[in-house]
Structure formats: structure tokens, C-alpha cells
Amino acid sequence: MPHSPSICPTLVYEDAKAAIRQLTGAFGFTEHAVYENEDGSVAHAELVFGNGMVMLGSRGTGTAFDRLMRGGGPVGVFVHVDDVDAHHARAVEHGAEIVAAPADQDYGSRDYVARDREGNVWSFGSYAPAGAAAG
């Protein structure tokens, strides 16, 4: 990953290892780093997609962030993909819950929406927001 992203959504999961398998298998993320606690739970993981990253960990670790996120979620994350239909086919092949099939939008994007194993909403589309300078 050439440059670190300026913004990284951070999620907590009851079963972070299953979330990692789904995000990499169905949605095409790549593991950048996974650190486990002594009990085998995920202390911290970084998954990349293009020039973006999502960080995640196991719920119930007792860290300050975990305590703040107690009862939080689900969240929504948008991911730019070049080929929406191919990406959708991969997600379907891996059993992802599709909540909105690929469709052309009035604002020029083609996108679809899926829900992960723990209810977070992932939108995948061709819309590429104009980047603001990192800062």
C-alpha cells in the first residue's frame, strides 16, 4: 500500500475472524495485518482495498475503544470498485447477503449493497468521490 489512507473506518465484530474471511473472500479485501490476543480474539486487523483500508477487531476485548463501541453499529461503508457486476458476482458466489442488486443511479453511479454477517452495510459502486487533499 503506497500511501496510508487519511481515513480508516473501524469496526468491531463478535466474530472478527469470520468477518475477515467474509471481507476477503466475498468482497475482495486483502489482509494487511492481523494481530491476535492471547485468547485468539482479534486485537487489531487492517484490510486493504485499493488505496483504502478498514480496521477491525473483536468485540469484548475490554479496551477503551471496545467499551466506547459497546452497543454500537451497524455502520455503513462505501467502497469504490471498477467493475460493479463482477464484484457483485463474487459476493454472491461467497454467499453474501445482497440487499440491493446492481443498479444504475441518477447521479451516474452503478452500485449494489450487501450486509455482512453482523449487520454492517457495505455499498460497492462505480462512483468515485473527488478526493480532497490529505490533511
Side-chain angles (χ1 to χ4, degrees):
M1 191 166 185
H3 300 288
S4 296
S6 297
I7 299 173
C8 300
T10 305
L11 300 92
V12 290
Y13 287 92
E14 292 294 331
D15 189 343
K17 288 181 179 178
I20 291 168
R21 286 191 302 274
Q22 181 180 37
L23 294 173
T24 56
F27 300 148
F29 283 78
T30 302
E31 284 185 25
H32 180 67
V34 178
Y35 304 98
E36 293 186 7
N37 293 312
E38 288 182 16
D39 64 2
S41 63
V42 177
H44 177 79
E46 299 171 357
L47 306 180
V48 296
F49 191 99
N51 64 355
M53 176 183 289
V54 61
M55 297 186 295
L56 63 94
S58 295
R59 194 177 294 278
T61 59
T63 65
F65 185 76
D66 177 56
R67 288 191 304 274
L68 288 169
M69 293 294 289
R70 188 175 306 132
V75 300
V77 179
F78 174 81
V79 180
H80 170 83
V81 296
D82 291 326
D83 186 336
V84 173
D85 295 295
H87 193 275
H88 172 262
R90 176 185 181 149
V92 168
E93 179 181 316
H94 282 83
E97 178 188 354
I98 306 301
V99 296
D104 295 328
Q105 304 301 323
D106 292 341
Y107 51 89
S109 182
R110 180 163 180 78
D111 55 35
Y112 79 95
V113 182
R115 189 182 338 261
D116 72 20
R117 304 169 56 89
E118 295 193 20
N120 298 298
V121 176
W122 293 82
S123 300
F124 298 94
S126 60
Y127 181 74

